[in-house]
Amino acid sequence: MRKITKKLLLEKGTPKCSNLGQIKKINLSNLNLKTSDFDRKLFSQLRTLEELDVSGNRLTEFPNNLGLSNLRLLNCANNELEQITTLNQFRNLEDLNCEDNLYLTISDIYKVMYLLPNLRQLDGKDITSTANNLKFVNSQKLMSQVTNFWEKYCKIQFSELLPTAAEISAIKKDFVKSAVAEIKYGPNSLKEFTKWRMKTIATEFVNSLLQQDQQRSSDAEENEDEEELKANLTDQSSVTISSTRSARLFTARDTTKSRKQVISEVSKKDTEDISRRSMKIQLGKERQSAQMAKYPNKASRVDVKTEPSTMKRDHSATPVVSEETIPRKRPKYKKTLVLEPLHFLQSHSRDNNPEDLSTQLWDCAFEPEIKNSQIPGLVSSQSVATCGGDSVCIIDCETGIVRHKYKSVGEEFFSLAWTTLTVFDKNQKRKFNVLAAGGKMGVVKLMHVKVSYCYGMIKAHKKAISILYFSPKHETFLFTGSYDKTIILWDIGVPDNDYNFSVSRLLVLKVCSTPLKMSLVPTFPDQYLVAACEGGCFAWDISLTNYDSKRNIKMEFLFPVCNKESGNPDSLAFCNDDLVASKGIKQGSIYLWSWSQTLKRWNKRQTKIHAVILREVEWSNTEEVYIALTVSPVENYLLCGDEKGDIWMYDLDGITDEEMTSGKKTPPTQILKWPAMKSQGETIEGTLINNVTTDPECNYLVAVTDKNIVVIWKRT
């Protein structure tokens, strides 16, 4: 008779209840339990169980198919476990303790790290970085070994003409067996793990070759059918088909025209200051030392004479619109946002010079709000990070006080990004925010802002960093875009109590020009990255299940060209799960297009694809580049600055079906005007706004400018 009964589970479980389906935690330690004592039907009733302690028993393996889908913590220490691969049934497991199991080897531990996708804590240590390195970097290297082995020894066997199914099966079996036996990789202590992974990877490799061969056969049959069809066509039809293809190719070449000439003309405006617009950034030969300290009240304040903060406009123009519509309608109760200027700060002045109106500010982002945080006094929702010149500032939007200021001598910061890391402290989760900043030197600085400490640097690129972006799904995954025409995916790891951390390079995405703004596709966050670059708008397959560590462009999105001087998109933003906003210089508008509908049009044999544009909204006809688009998701507003200091605001809920088919560009919902102001007795006219952001609830709006001014508006 089994020792584990319903009565025992209710007795050992918490909270105390009469229903197994309500139990969150069970302690079955030191009960002399064996594997045979587990009743699968009984455990399958523990639908909400999150923590299970079976330490100090006599388990030789963990029973399969227990159905504990919500299990987060498992303690199976001090047992007699011989293997733990059956733990892969607990896909949501985050914390595992399997110490003091005499028969488990280091290979068994590595297997469980590979099999459990959400495992963060193993035997009391954070293994996030190690596990990611094992799953991705190690797998990529093993795949490289398998590919080389195939090319050297087995490819000739597979090249026979029309091999039979039996021959294919034999070649496959022999190859996998030979690869496992012959390929040597890693330390001898991990020999068992390496062979286990090698068998899986070699099998996947041969299967992929078979699929490619089948696809080629299918394509060949289609080509034969096309050739037969062409043979029956008249000469006139052939000429028509040929001319049509030529026209399409001509259109594609036009829409991918380079913007280097336009950017070069813009860069002539300022040759003295080192600027991202100059496209001639001189990198320092040595990385300068950096310090972080608090600078309360150090920002120079600008005297402001406010003017009306909003202005409605009503213009129309010929749009490029599909028959599709944005599936959202404006709620009747929704009103125009009313924002009033609150603070105008010169917080990035070089040498704290109050007369500095030339330092260019490039990026701004609100600190994420940590829910259920146990850190006292943490206020995230009204803290915004700004960067420009040689400094990064953390500003309290309500008071206008610069809470922290980080300076790096010789640097010029171009981009920043926030992430919230999770650490395990005495079996309890603790979260803290980390700010990443990068620029001219190609180095990413990692800052724990709460304690005013820059704890790490990553030499990410040989040239300047143009954009940083954290994955919203994987908190340690950081994308860095650079003037070296690459985008790299890094796993920055989680620092320990002494701020030691390890970094892994997971992917390198090849770009034909400098990336300026990027985003993961919300519905495919593990598969597609989209970026607006100087040479166009592109997408890459970033699936880490694909063992290729270097990826080429997968898709190039084409947009209507109004005139020869119009450029490629220099910014984009996802407005929701499907709607994408993008814009280019001298376009005079912003395109709203559908990701899903565009993806349906994609012919996987080709790279170029025409974006399905749903709507075109009015915007400035400026020649300035690097003006970023931003979305306020709660209010569903699209925001973008311009060269005059105004902020164009679009209520996406307000775009109706009638407007979508009216043949007109949609005017902005409102324009936030640049207020009249003076600094050191000098009137400051409108200035170029490089970036705009809002907090999640849209209580504050922050803009950074080309004249060393941070502008903060507050919602009234």
Side-chain angles (χ1 to χ4, degrees):
M1 182 176 179
R2 289 190 175 98
K3 292 183 179 181
I4 300 178
T5 63
K6 181 177 180 179
K7 180 180 179 181
L8 179 65
L9 293 178
L10 292 174
E11 178 185 340
K12 297 291 186 178
T14 54
K16 299 300 180 182
C17 57
S18 59
N19 186 353
L20 292 178
Q22 298 177 358
I23 294 178
K24 300 285 187 181
K25 181 179 179 180
I26 293 180
N27 187 344
L28 298 176
S29 62
N30 302 310
L31 295 179
N32 203 30
L33 298 176
K34 298 181 180 179
T35 302
S36 58
D37 291 323
F38 282 74
D39 187 340
R40 291 182 176 85
K41 292 183 179 180
L42 202 57
F43 272 81
S44 65
Q45 299 178 43
L46 298 167
R47 293 181 295 274
T48 62
L49 186 68
E50 296 181 357
E51 298 183 18
L52 176 61
D53 187 348
V54 291
S55 60
N57 288 294
R58 299 173 58 191
L59 303 180
T60 56
E61 64 177 355
F62 221 85
N64 218 335
N65 301 321
L66 290 181
L68 305 178
S69 59
N70 289 314
L71 193 65
R72 301 289 190 275
L73 184 150
L74 174 62
N75 185 354
C76 54
N78 193 20
N79 275 276
E80 299 173 5
L81 294 173
E82 299 175 357
Q83 60 90 15
I84 49 177
T85 54
T86 54
L87 295 183
N88 68 345
Q89 64 185 295
F90 308 128
R91 307 299 291 175
N92 292 315
L93 194 65
E94 299 175 354
D95 191 346
L96 172 65
N97 188 342
C98 56
E99 290 180 308
D100 299 324
N101 281 276
L102 182 62
Y103 304 111
L104 291 183
T105 66
I106 185 65
S107 290
D108 292 314
I109 301 301
Y110 270 57
K111 286 179 183 179
V112 80
M113 279 197 292
Y114 179 84
L115 290 171
L116 296 175
N118 294 313
L119 190 64
R120 302 290 304 275
Q121 190 90 344
L122 180 61
D123 297 339
K125 299 178 181 179
D126 189 291
I127 51 92
T128 305
S129 182
T130 304
N132 285 334
N133 187 280
L134 191 68
K135 295 172 186 175
F136 309 128
V137 179
N138 181 270
S139 295
Q140 291 168 0
K141 292 180 179 179
L142 290 178
M143 175 56 80
S144 177
Q145 296 271 4
V146 169
T147 304
N148 293 337
F149 185 77
W150 172 267
E151 293 288 338
K152 190 173 182 180
Y153 296 105
C154 305
K155 186 176 181 179
I156 190 171
Q157 301 180 50
F158 203 73
S159 61
E160 296 179 9
L161 184 63
L162 298 176
T164 65
E167 291 172 335
I168 292 175
S169 178
I171 294 173
K172 176 180 175 181
K173 184 177 179 179
D174 290 343
F175 170 71
V176 173
K177 184 178 179 180
S178 300
V180 172
E182 299 293 333
I183 297 177
K184 309 296 181 185
Y185 179 81
N188 201 45
S189 59
L190 292 175
K191 185 177 180 180
E192 182 188 347
F193 170 77
T194 301
K195 287 188 174 183
W196 177 74
R197 286 292 296 131
M198 191 67 69
K199 182 177 181 180
T200 303
I201 291 175
T203 303
E204 292 176 353
F205 177 78
V206 178
N207 289 338
S208 68
L209 290 179
L210 291 174
Q211 291 177 358
Q212 293 174 13
D213 188 63
Q214 292 173 357
Q215 182 64 42
R216 283 193 295 267
S217 299
S218 176
D219 293 343
E221 291 178 1
E222 291 181 4
N223 291 335
E224 289 178 2
D225 293 339
E226 289 181 3
E227 292 297 330
E228 184 177 351
L229 179 62
K230 287 179 182 179
N232 296 327
L233 295 175
T234 62
D235 293 341
Q236 183 177 359
S237 299
S238 299
V239 172
T240 303
I241 293 173
S242 177
S243 62
T244 302
R245 289 181 178 175
S246 299
R248 288 178 181 173
L249 290 173
F250 181 78
T251 302
R253 283 194 293 270
D254 283 349
T255 56
T256 56
K257 185 179 70 173
S258 171
R259 293 173 54 226
K260 290 184 178 179
Q261 295 179 349
V262 178
I263 294 174
S264 177
E265 292 174 1
V266 175
S267 68
K268 294 179 182 178
K269 295 182 180 180
D270 187 0
T271 59
E272 295 180 359
D273 294 333
I274 298 177
S275 167
R276 198 158 51 127
R277 284 187 183 76
S278 69
M279 298 299 297
K280 296 177 182 179
I281 297 171
Q282 303 295 324
L283 300 181
K285 296 182 179 180
E286 298 181 358
R287 185 169 63 193
Q288 304 294 328
S289 60
Q291 297 179 343
M292 192 174 196
K294 293 186 178 180
Y295 288 82
N297 298 308
K298 285 293 184 180
S300 300
R301 295 178 181 268
V302 183
D303 297 328
V304 181
K305 179 180 179 183
T306 61
E307 293 182 347
S309 60
T310 62
M311 184 179 75
K312 300 225 174 170
R313 310 225 316 187
D314 185 15
H315 297 291
S316 61
T318 304
V320 182
V321 183
S322 76
E323 296 180 356
E324 304 292 338
T325 60
I326 298 176
R328 301 189 68 165
K329 295 185 178 181
R330 182 185 181 90
K332 295 181 179 179
Y333 61 86
K334 193 166 183 177
K335 298 180 180 180
T336 300
L337 293 179
V338 180
L339 298 157
E340 295 296 337
L342 184 62
H343 302 290
F344 288 69
L345 309 173
Q346 290 177 264
S347 54
H348 294 262
S349 301
R350 296 186 185 275
D351 302 321
N352 293 325
N353 180 8
E355 297 181 358
D356 180 5
L357 292 175
S358 61
T359 297
Q360 295 172 307
L361 310 185
W362 294 107
D363 205 357
C364 54
F366 271 87
E367 183 176 4
E369 183 175 2
I370 300 179
K371 297 181 180 179
N372 301 321
S373 173
Q374 298 186 8
I375 304 176
L378 180 64
V379 179
S380 301
S381 59
Q382 64 184 41
S383 298
V384 67
T386 60
C387 73
D390 61 0
S391 60
V392 175
C393 295
I394 311 298
I395 303 171
D396 186 301
C397 289
E398 183 61 31
T399 63
I401 294 175
V402 179
R403 293 171 45 222
H404 308 281
K405 188 172 184 178
Y406 169 85
K407 298 193 73 172
S408 180
V409 179
E411 179 65 279
E412 183 171 3
F413 289 103
F414 294 149
S415 184
L416 49 78
W418 290 96
T419 189
T420 302
L421 298 182
T422 305
V423 295
F424 287 84
D425 188 8
K426 297 180 181 180
N427 294 328
Q428 288 188 344
K429 286 184 183 180
R430 181 170 60 86
K431 294 180 179 290
F432 66 94
N433 289 328
V434 167
L435 179 66
K440 184 182 69 174
M441 291 183 176
V443 177
V444 178
K445 277 82 171 181
L446 300 175
M447 291 167 259
H448 185 185
V449 175
K450 179 64 179 178
V451 297
S452 302
Y453 183 53
C454 177
Y455 70 85
M457 298 185 185
I458 304 171
K459 182 59 181 176
H461 298 270
K462 293 182 179 180
K463 293 187 178 181
I465 291 172
S466 57
I467 185 69
L468 299 175
Y469 177 77
F470 273 106
S471 166
K473 184 176 181 181
H474 303 282
E475 61 191 41
T476 62
F477 283 12
L478 173 64
F479 292 89
T480 61
S482 171
Y483 286 85
D484 63 12
K485 299 179 182 179
T486 63
I487 297 173
I488 299 180
L489 172 58
W490 304 88
D491 177 7
I492 66 168
V494 178
D496 60 19
N497 291 333
D498 296 322
Y499 288 99
N500 298 313
F501 69 104
S502 59
V503 178
S504 299
R505 190 178 73 175
L506 304 182
L507 280 180
V508 177
L509 308 179
K510 299 178 182 179
V511 193
C512 60
S513 56
T514 303
L516 303 176
K517 195 72 180 290
M518 55 184 158
S519 176
L520 291 172
V521 177
T523 51
F524 300 94
D526 288 327
Q527 186 172 0
Y528 292 117
L529 177 78
V530 184
C533 308
E534 288 177 350
C537 185
F538 308 101
W540 293 262
D541 181 357
I542 59 165
S543 304
L544 292 175
T545 53
N546 182 343
Y547 299 124
D548 187 4
S549 61
K550 295 183 179 180
R551 312 283 176 86
N552 293 317
I553 293 170
K554 198 75 172 179
M555 289 176 267
E556 178 182 355
F557 302 103
L558 306 180
F559 299 89
V561 178
C562 299
N563 54 67
K564 294 183 179 180
E565 296 179 350
S566 294
N568 294 300
D570 61 357
S571 185
L572 61 80
F574 271 86
C575 304
N576 53 39
D577 286 350
D578 183 62
L579 189 65
V580 190
S582 62
K583 69 165 189 66
I585 61 172
K586 296 196 73 174
Q587 180 179 318
S589 64
I590 298 171
Y591 291 134
L592 302 178
W593 51 284
S594 168
W595 164 263
S596 61
Q597 295 178 43
T598 303
L599 192 63
K600 289 178 182 178
R601 287 187 175 185
W602 180 38
N603 182 346
K604 295 186 178 181
R605 300 177 190 174
Q606 300 178 354
T607 302
K608 295 182 179 181
I609 175 175
H610 289 273
V612 178
I613 298 175
L614 303 182
R615 189 61 187 167
E616 191 175 7
V617 298
E618 291 180 1
W619 184 64
S620 172
N621 192 30
T622 180
E623 296 181 2
E624 297 289 349
V625 291
Y626 307 114
I627 301 177
L629 290 164
T630 306
V631 174
S632 177
V634 173
E635 293 294 335
N636 202 28
Y637 261 73
L638 176 66
L639 311 171
C640 191
D642 68 11
E643 78 285 2
K644 299 178 182 179
D646 299 337
I647 299 176
W648 299 57
M649 307 175 69
Y650 309 87
D651 179 6
L652 299 177
D653 286 330
I655 300 179
T656 65
D657 294 350
E658 181 179 352
E659 289 176 316
M660 294 292 295
T661 56
S662 63
K664 299 179 180 179
K665 292 181 183 178
T666 302
T669 305
Q670 60 191 95
I671 296 180
L672 203 59
K673 301 297 292 182
W674 180 262
M677 65 173 64
K678 291 185 177 181
S679 176
Q680 305 296 319
E682 178 184 351
T683 300
I684 300 178
E685 302 295 338
T687 178
L688 176 64
I689 291 182
N690 286 318
N691 211 330
V692 181
T693 189
T694 69
D695 67 295
E697 300 299 325
C698 206
N699 293 319
Y700 301 97
L701 186 148
V702 178
V704 290
T705 72
D706 253 14
K707 292 186 177 179
N708 186 29
I709 298 175
V710 179
V711 191
I712 302 175
W713 282 268
K714 185 176 182 180
R715 188 173 182 176
T716 60

